[in-house]
């Protein structure tokens, strides 16, 4: 197994520490978010913790640009949007409990099954791992790729954002 | 001649289109369009018939589309397989053309009188003629087709238009229930038809009759060599085709729709339940007969179903008081005869009986329609004494009934005789006995109905009088072929019918005299018995008291009447009892089974409907559950393969 | 694998972490009653997938090294759009029914 | 930081770009039309009538159809652009044609729905056009990222369309509409997540996102990861095509969505799902044919059985059509399980037949929605007397769905099943027999509607309220006539369409 940044001990140690902090806090926050927290605002904050941890992981995997995007778009936009929505739906902020026991049991079984399948698949696969990290700043290349190789999906996403814009305005508009 | 054939087919379709889109508002105009088109078709059909009798044959087909091109399969070959559609004329087709167009024409003329009530034309008058035209078009397509695909398409159209016709009076719940029942019951048979068609296509590689017959003739093609469940695949294909025929021709166990279908207007019954649609099953088997011939097992099935249906339906006819239903049972029974003949290997006998039956049964139905029109009821217990009030109907009905009962020298006599001879030669002895017994039953119930209608005093509440000429003229016109058309196939005319149909393959039957005599005696006995019970002013045997009196025993030697009494007793308690039991079986068990099946499906549907809880997370559960199920199923299968 | 190897995160660490988030997201999406909570859980699932994408992008031998990161970027932008439309619909539902409990939103069923 | 190894960007010349745009022309036309419509929609209704918007949208779609036809010769060489991301083969063109026809019919028939709105009509056309563009791109995309974003483009649009009836106060339709939109959006997001997980694994295993490169890695050996990614891809697309057990959203969304949107769901969205499934299975996963044919065989059986059985007990015509559409998906999956060029062309032809047939039915249902706000089947009682031509159209469509000749539905089934039988596989033959039985059973519930229209009397109390004549807009007549021509003649004169389907299916397989 090729660990994180094998060439540089400092990177390895710092990276490992960041990973474990992000992973453990992320898992705990996610766990609490789905199992425990009733209040919607706190749920959104728990998700923010997860997302922040993930941004850290992106950073240690050398996806610096993506880490910034994660912070700006996810935490800065999506979560804020969610919190707005939560505030606009008074009476629903304190989530009155969860679904029926049968539904929860089913959800648990299904989630465990999916996890088991993925765990089995991931660990049994002999991944074709490459030695060295791609140790570059990714902003430039990603920007370049978006306008060359990934031009088509980029253009499609622009149409998609238009649809979302128009759709969201029309649907959410007061009658 | 090709253009002529397409015109025969096209005229009724044109009439349908014209009526629906243009003349719908004018009732008279609509009916004239339909009748005019039919008349044209009929004349052309006669012309075709004469040409075919003179030895002419015609095929007109075009390549409809090309399946599986670009050489991607070994089975389909380099250039793919062409699916051709077309029509043809040969003796079998020419014969059916004559029957269909003649009966259809007369029925349409008659309907102009029948669909009038108290001087008012039925509100759906135009619609009725549109449906009739559509039906005739479909039926003509069915008989003209030169391949199974086109035949199947027409076959389904026949089903559809008969659905519309049976349910024509949709205000009556019985009518639309019957229509639905007819449509769905015949569709059950059609599943078999379609499967047979797929087998023939897959293994035989073609749906053209000529291509298929070449393979079957040789008894060596892939159809014969490939086997499934220990039988040649051709056997299953034939069984599938026959299932379709069983549905359309109302054979056991799919006969249940036909008696109910009598809820339609009586001219409809005459057209589709006597002469055309129900005959389609017989025609299908006759048309694909070379296939059946190659697998004798399939022919045995046909013979058995036919023979059993003949007697089964006959016994049920004994106990019914609804005029049209009795005729429906009789139709089922006669169709059973035709199937029996086919099973015994004689297309000529089957088609001959189909031919004569079409005329005399249509005549019977139309006469019954005339009676029903006058008395406004179907129930024979509310009729009686109509001989003087409706002399023309009386005469035509008598001719029809005698013909049906196989009275010597009338049409039915010759054709029924042919079937009995064929059965005596080639069929199982039990089936032959069934057929003979059915002769007696047929004569009895036909004349029971006849006497109840015309003899004695009127028991109803209306003031019946003879129908208008627009109805009686078609009756008279139909009475002529009903009486005389059988002569064509008689020895006196050198078996002209059989020679026409079979050509060189025809051989004169030998040793048929004892069979013929027996059947005549049985038929006369049936008529006599009916007369004794229902025809005499003072019945020699009072049917009402038969049951009571049969309990008081007379000694064996008391008088010679005792034989008759015993006979009565047997008849009443055994035959009529059996009939009642069979009818009850039919109603309770078969209908029950079909209803239970429907209920089962609906129950399953309601159960599955519970999954649709309306809760989005529930749906999500199935979404993710489905992923897990697929993944694990594949992983397990993978593991199994790896080991 | 010994302890030190386990502590140094590699490809599989990230993959397992991503899968765990994905599964927690599944559980949340199927068990929380509030429609917004379901949307939050779906974001969790998408982030699990994104971890996978970026990890593959970082670790596997490929000629398209950045494809995973680009994919993740597209997923983030689509998620934003989806959240916008989703929340709009949720708010419309709330205005009509004064509730977001998805198990009470069952006018359509059967 | 160390000096970085550079990522070499692929060179893109103006020629490449021009070439790519050429292949995108039909999509571009649709997007430009949508944009124009969007701008026009911003103007106050007094300046630009909404009816005008309808005709603008329809005109744009017709132009796009013309471009599709014009590109057909070019497609023979199946050129690719944008570095292999975009394919323009006959397969893609066939589906583009199908989507455009469906969208055109939907837009032409949308009047009644729009009449019930205070606004939102303009947006309906705009988003329907964008959604169509998304579907067209799904058919053209040959790379995971493009497939995903175009799928989302269409899904978001469809979620909007489902919820766009929210102001309707008749019979709770407004609430049902938003509920439908929410259900579709949530479930579609969940299924996208699954799909993405599968795509991530695909990328991880093969290191590539283009289908052709994936095929190379996936032909080696099927490890658990390979299997899992395939299962997840199947589930993700299974949601889009509504195969059981991923079909549960269909009836609810079909019922709640405004009827033109339902028509679009049932025809175009479903066909796009099939386009992607066929392309991904045949171009990326040919090495796993044994596995996925097995999966789809089982799914086909479950799907057609469930759809048929539940349809038996429905009283709402839109729900009935939803279950009917599930059943038809079951039949189509038999074709996928067959996995032969013949079967693929059979699927294409079937989809086209289904487009015409279902559109004919839905146009009548759209027209009737004004008079039967709750879409109950009993609302159709006596339609034959009130509006014989509409009743005739709906009857023809339903009979075609039931597979009765001479309507196109029969020929489509026949061809598809012949192709399945042709494989000579016992399991497939069983599926075909079962499908034939199921389609006979389907006659029962289609017959109920026909029966209501033709053979039941309107109750006097109801008849008193039905004094006004049915209003049908000119554009709706046009749409109905066009789809009925399809129902009647694409079966009897199948040769050209079938040839097109065969050409399209042949370009698919490598």
């Amino acid at each position: 197994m090729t660990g994180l940044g094998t060439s540089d001990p400092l990177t390895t140690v710092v990276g490992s520490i960041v990973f474990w902090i992000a992973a453990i806090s992320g898992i705990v926050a996610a766990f609490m978010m789905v199992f425990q927290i009733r209040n919607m605002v706190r749920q959104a904050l728990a998700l923010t913790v997860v997302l922040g941890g993930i941004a850290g992981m992106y950073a240690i995997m050398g996806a610096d640009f993506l880490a910034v995007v994660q912070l700006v778009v996810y935490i800065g936009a999506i979560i804020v949007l969610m919190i707005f929505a939560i505030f606009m739906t008074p009476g629903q902020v304190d989530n009155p409990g969860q679904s029926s026991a049968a539904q929860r049991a089913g959800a648990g079984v299904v989630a465990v099954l999916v996890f088991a399948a993925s765990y089995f698949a991931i660990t049994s696969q002999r991944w074709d791992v490459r030695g060295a990290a791609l140790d570059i700043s990714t902003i430039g290349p990603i920007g370049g790729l978006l306008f060359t190789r990934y031009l088509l999906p980029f253009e499609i996403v622009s149409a998609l954002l238009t649809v979302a814009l128009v759709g969201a305005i029309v649907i959410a508009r007061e009658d | 001649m090709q253009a002529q054939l397409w015109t025969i087919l096209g005229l009724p379709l044109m009439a349908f289109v014209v009526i629906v889109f243009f003349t719908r508002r004018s009732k008279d105009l609509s009916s004239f369009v339909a009748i005019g088109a039919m008349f044209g078709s009929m004349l052309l059909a006669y012309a075709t018939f004469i040409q075919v009798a003179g030895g002419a044959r015609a095929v007109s087909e075009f390549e409809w589309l090309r399946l599986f091109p670009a050489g991607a399969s070994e089975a389909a070959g380099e250039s793919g397989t062409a699916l051709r559609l077309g029509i043809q004329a040969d003796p079998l087709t020419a014969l059916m053309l004559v029957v269909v167009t003649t009966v259809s024409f007369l029925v349409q003329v008659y309907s102009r009188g029948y669909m009038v009530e108290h001087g008012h034309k039925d509100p759906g008058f135009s619609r009725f003629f549109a449906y009739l035209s559509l039906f005739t078009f479909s039926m003509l397509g069915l008989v003209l087709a030169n391949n199974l695909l086109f035949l199947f398409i027409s076959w389904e159209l026949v089903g559809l238009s008969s659905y519309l016709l049976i349910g024509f009076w949709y205000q009556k719940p019985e009518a639309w229930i019957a229509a639905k029942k007819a449509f769905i019951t015949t569709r059950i048979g059609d599943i078999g038809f379609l499967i047979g068609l797929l087998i023939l296509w897959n293994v035989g590689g073609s749906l053209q009759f000529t291509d298929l017959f070449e393979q079957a003739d040789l008894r060596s093609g892939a159809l014969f060599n490939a086997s499934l469940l220990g039988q040649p695949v051709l056997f299953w294909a034939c069984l599938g085709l026959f299932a379709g025929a069983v549905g359309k021709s109302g054979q056991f166990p799919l006969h249940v729709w036909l008696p109910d279908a009598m809820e339609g207007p009586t001219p409809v019954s005459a057209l589709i339940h006597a002469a055309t649609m129900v005959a389609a099953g017989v025609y299908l088997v006759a048309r694909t007969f070379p296939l059946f011939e190659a697998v004798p097992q399939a022919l045995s099935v046909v013979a058995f179903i036919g023979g059993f249906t003949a007697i089964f339906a006959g016994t049920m006819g004994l106990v019914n008081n609804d005029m049209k239903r009795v005729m429906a049972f009789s139709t089922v029974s006669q169709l059973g005869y035709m199937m029996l003949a086919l099973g015994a290997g004689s297309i000529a006998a089957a088609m001959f009986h189909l031919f004569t039956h079409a005329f005399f049964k249509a005549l019977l139905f139309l006469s019954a329609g005339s009676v029903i029109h006058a008395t406004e009821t179907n129930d024979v217990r509310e009729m009686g004494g109509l001989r003087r009030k409706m002399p023309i109907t009386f005469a035509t009905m008598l001719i029809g009934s005698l013909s049906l009962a196989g009275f010597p020298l009338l049409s039915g006599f010759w054709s029924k005789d042919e079937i009995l001879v064929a059965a005596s030669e080639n069929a199982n002895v039990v089936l032959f006995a069934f057929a003979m017994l059915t002769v007696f039953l047929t004569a009895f119930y036909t004349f029971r109905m006849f006497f109840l209608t015309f003899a004695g005093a009127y028991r109803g509440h209306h003031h019946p009088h003879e129908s208008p000429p627009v109805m009686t003229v078609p009756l008279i016109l139909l009475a002529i072929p009903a009486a005389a058309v059988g002569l064509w196939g008689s020895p006196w005319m050198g078996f002209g019918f059989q020679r026409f149909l079979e050509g060189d393959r025809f051989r004169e039957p030998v040793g048929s005299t004892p069979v013929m005599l027996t059947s005549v005696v049985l038929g006369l006995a049936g008529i006599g018995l009916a007369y004794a019970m229902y025809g005499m002013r003072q019945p020699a045997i009072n049917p009402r008291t038969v049951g009571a009196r049969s309990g008081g025993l007379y000694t064996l030697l008391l008088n010679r009447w005792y034989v008759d009494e015993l006979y009565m007793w047997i008849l009443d308690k055994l035959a009529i009892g059996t009939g009642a039991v069979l009818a009850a079986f039919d109603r309770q068990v078969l209908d029950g089974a079909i209803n239970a099946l429907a209920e089962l499906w609906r129950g399953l549907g309601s159960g599955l409907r519970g999954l649709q809880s309306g809760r989005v997370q529930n749906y999500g559960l199935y979404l993710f559950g489905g992923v897990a199920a697929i993944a694990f199923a594949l992983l397990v299968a993978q593991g199994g393969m790896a080991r | 694998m010994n302890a030190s190897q386990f502590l140094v995160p590699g490809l599989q660490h990230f993959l397992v972490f991503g899968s765990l988030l994905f599964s927690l997201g599944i559980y949340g999406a199927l068990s929380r009653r509030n429609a917004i909570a379901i949307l939050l859980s779906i974001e969790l699932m998408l982030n699990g997938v994104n971890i996978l994408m970026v990890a593959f992008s970082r670790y596997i031998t490929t000629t398209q090294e950045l494809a995973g990161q680009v994919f993740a970027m597209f997923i983030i932008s689509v998620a934003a759009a989806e959240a916008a439309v989703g929340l709009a619909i949720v708010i419309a539902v709330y205005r009509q029914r004064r509730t977001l409990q998805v198990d009470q939103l069952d006018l359509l069923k059967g | 930081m160390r000096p970085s190894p550079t990522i070499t960007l692929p060179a893109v010349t103006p020629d490449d770009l021009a070439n790519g745009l050429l292949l995108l022309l039909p999509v571009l036309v649709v997007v430009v039309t949508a944009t124009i419509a969007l701008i026009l929609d911003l103007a106050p209704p007094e300046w630009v009538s909404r009816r005008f918007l309808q005709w603008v949208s329809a005109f744009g779609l017709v132009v796009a159809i013309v471009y599709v036809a014009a590109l057909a010769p070019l497609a023979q060489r199946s050129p690719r652009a944008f570095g292999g991301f975009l394919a323009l083969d006959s397969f893609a063109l066939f589906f583009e044609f199908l989507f455009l026809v469906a969208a055109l019919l939907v837009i032409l028939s949308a009047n009644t729905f729009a009449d019930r709105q205070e606004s939102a009509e303009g947006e309906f056309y705009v988003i329907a056009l964008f959604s169509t563009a998304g579907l067209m791109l799904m058919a053209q995309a040959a790379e995971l990222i493009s497939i995903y974003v175009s799928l989302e483009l269409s899904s978001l649009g469809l979620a909007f369309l489902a919820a766009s009836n929210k102001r309707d106060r008749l019979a709770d339709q407004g609430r049902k509409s938003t509920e439908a939109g929410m259900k579709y959006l949530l479930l579609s997001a969940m299924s996208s997540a699954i799909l993405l997980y599968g795509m991530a694994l695909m990328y991880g295993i093969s290191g590539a996102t283009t289908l052709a490169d994936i095929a190379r890695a996936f032909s080696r050996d099927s490890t658990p990861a390979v299997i899992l990614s395939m299962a997840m891809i199947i589930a993700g697309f299974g949601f889009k095509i509504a195969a059981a057990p991923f079909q549960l959203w269909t009836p609810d969304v079909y019922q709640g969505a405004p009827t033109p949107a339902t028509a679009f769901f049932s025809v175009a969205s479903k066909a796009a799902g099939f386009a992607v499934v066929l392309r991904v299975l045949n171009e990326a996963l040919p090495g796993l044919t044994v596995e996925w044919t097995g999966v789809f065989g089982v799914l086909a059986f479950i799907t057609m059985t469930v759809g048929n059985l539940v349809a038996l007990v429905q009283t709402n015509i839109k729900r009935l059509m939803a279950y009917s559409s599930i059943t038809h998906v079951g039949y189509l999956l038999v074709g996928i399980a067959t996995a032969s060029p013949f079967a693929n062309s059979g699927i294409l032809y079937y989809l086209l037949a289904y487009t015409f047939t279902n559109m004919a039915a839905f146009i009548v249902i759209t027209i009737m929605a004004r008079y039967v706000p709750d879409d109950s089947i009993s609302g159709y009682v006596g339609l034959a007397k009130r509006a014989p031509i509409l009743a005739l159209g709906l009857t023809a469509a339903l009979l075609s769905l039931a597979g009765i000749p001479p309507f196109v539905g029969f020929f489509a089934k026949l061809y598809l099943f012949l192709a399945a039988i042709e494989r000579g596989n016992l399991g497939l033959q069983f599926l075909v027999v079962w499908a034939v039985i199921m389609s006979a059973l389907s006659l029962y519930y289609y017959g109920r509607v026909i029966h209501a229209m033709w053979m039941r009397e309107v109750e006097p109390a109801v008849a008193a309220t039905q004094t006004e004549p049915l209003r049908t807009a000119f554009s709706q007549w046009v749409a109905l006539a066009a789809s009925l021509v399809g129902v009647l003649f694409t079966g009897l004169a199948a040769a050209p369409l079938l040839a097109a389907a065969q050409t399209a299916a042949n370009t698919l397989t490598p």
Side-chain angles (χ1 to χ4, degrees), chain B residues 20-21 24 62 64-73 75-76 83 85 127 131 149 152-154 156-157 160 163-168 170-171 175-177 179-180 183-184 187-188 190-191 194-195 197-199 201-202 207 228 598 601-606 608-609 611-620 622-627 630-631 634-635 638 641, chain D residues 179 182-183 186-187 190-191 194 222 224 227-228 230-232 234-235 239 245-246 248-249 251-252 291 295 299 306 309-310 312-315 319 323 341-342 385 388-389 392 399 402-407 410-411 414-415 417-419 421-422 429 432-434 436-441 443-444 447-448 450-451 454-457 491-495 498 502 506:
Chain B
V20 167
F21 286 102
R24 193 151 42 96
F62 55 91
W64 178 51
L65 50 85
R66 197 161 269 284
L67 296 169
F68 316 142
S73 153
L83 213 51
L85 282 189
R127 189 162 57 95
Y131 290 170
L149 182 64
F152 182 74
I153 294 170
S154 310
E156 289 290 335
L157 268 179
L160 176 64
Y163 166 77
L164 294 171
L165 283 169
I166 295 169
F168 180 74
Y170 56 80
Q171 298 89 338
W176 56 256
I177 291 171
K180 215 160 75 173
F183 198 29
I184 291 173
R187 275 288 281 187
I188 294 174
D190 293 349
I191 297 172
L194 193 57
I195 291 172
L197 200 134
L198 289 174
I199 294 177
W201 167 262
N202 185 33
L207 293 176
L228 179 69
W601 286 119
R602 287 179 63 89
L604 279 173
S606 308
L608 285 169
R609 192 183 193 177
L611 293 182
Q612 204 80 35
S613 60
R615 296 189 184 159
V616 67
Q617 289 176 310
N618 231 314
Y619 302 171
Y622 287 99
L623 188 73
F624 292 106
V627 179
I630 293 177
L634 281 177
L635 287 174
Q638 197 77 34
M641 269 188 268
Chain D
E179 185 182 320
M182 189 193 75
K183 283 180 173 173
L186 290 180
L187 288 170
M190 292 183 203
S191 78
I194 295 177
S222 41
I227 296 285
L228 184 66
M230 190 185 79
M232 289 185 149
I234 289 177
F239 171 83
F246 316 112
L248 286 146
W249 60 277
D252 291 7
E291 281 87 353
V295 170
L299 291 189
V306 167
L309 290 185
V310 188
L312 291 176
V313 290
Q314 294 305 318
T315 52
R319 284 192 92 79
Y323 287 108
F342 305 158
K385 277 225 176 99
I389 305 232
L392 211 60
L399 289 174
I404 306 262
F407 302 109
F410 165 73
F411 297 103
L414 186 72
Y415 186 69
F417 293 162
L418 284 179
I421 292 262
E422 174 113 334
Q429 283 166 355
V432 168
V433 170
W434 187 244
V436 171
I437 293 173
M438 281 292 130
S439 55
L441 186 66
L443 197 65
Y444 179 81
R448 283 218 331 252
I450 298 175
H451 166 226
W454 295 91
M455 300 198 166
R456 269 168 67 187
E457 281 297 283
L492 292 173
L498 201 48
Q502 283 160 346
N506 280 335

Side-chain angles (χ1 to χ4, degrees), chain D residues 114-351:
Chain D
D115 286 353
R116 269 158 72 177
Q117 306 297 303
E118 286 133 35
S119 61
E121 181 181 352
E123 292 86 354
F124 184 91
Y125 300 135
V126 173
I127 306 271
L129 287 173
F130 271 120
S131 216
T132 311
L135 299 175
M136 292 165 76
L137 286 163
M138 275 168 84
Q140 279 194 293
E143 186 260 354
L144 296 184
I145 301 179
S146 316
I147 290 175
Y148 169 67
V149 288
S150 41
L151 184 132
E152 285 296 335
L153 171 57
S154 71
S155 290
L156 272 189
L158 286 167
F160 168 84
L161 294 183
S164 65
N165 202 15
K166 67 167 185 156
R167 286 176 193 79
D168 198 330
R169 307 222 181 277
L170 281 172
D172 247 358
Q173 287 292 333
R175 290 175 175 198
K176 288 180 180 163
S177 178
T178 48
E179 185 182 320
M182 189 193 75
K183 283 180 173 173
Y184 183 72
L185 189 107
L186 290 180
L187 288 170
S188 133
M190 292 183 203
S191 78
S192 304
I194 295 177
L195 182 69
L196 283 173
Y197 198 108
M199 285 179 166
L201 287 178
M202 269 192 165
Y203 168 63
I205 294 162
S206 65
T209 58
T210 49
L211 298 183
D213 293 336
I214 292 170
R216 243 165 269 140
F218 271 62
S219 57
R220 271 177 239 136
D221 60 342
S222 41
T223 58
V226 167
I227 296 285
L228 184 66
S229 82
M230 190 185 79
M232 289 185 149
I233 296 263
I234 289 177
F237 293 136
F239 171 83
K240 196 83 184 167
I241 60 180
F246 316 112
Q247 93 296 7
L248 286 146
W249 60 277
T250 334
D252 291 7
V253 174
Y254 278 27
Q255 187 190 349
T259 315
T262 309
F264 199 58
F265 268 106
S266 77
V267 171
S269 154
K270 187 159 287 178
F274 274 99
V276 180
V277 165
L278 281 173
R279 195 184 282 283
V280 170
L281 291 181
N282 285 296
E283 291 191 2
L285 302 171
L288 296 169
T289 310
V290 179
E291 281 87 353
W292 55 257
T293 48
V295 170
F296 278 109
V298 175
L299 291 189
F301 178 80
I302 302 175
T303 308
M304 65 176 118
T305 312
V306 167
N308 241 320
L309 290 185
V310 188
L312 291 176
V313 290
Q314 294 305 318
T315 52
N316 179 298
I317 194 162
K318 279 161 82 180
R319 284 192 92 79
L320 180 78
M321 293 303 288
Y323 287 108
S324 133
S325 86
I326 294 172
T327 309
H328 285 273
V329 169
Y331 304 148
L332 283 160
L333 291 182
V334 176
I336 292 194
T338 306
S340 72
F342 305 158
N344 290 345
S345 64
I347 293 172
L348 265 54
Y349 179 56
Y350 198 110
L351 282 170

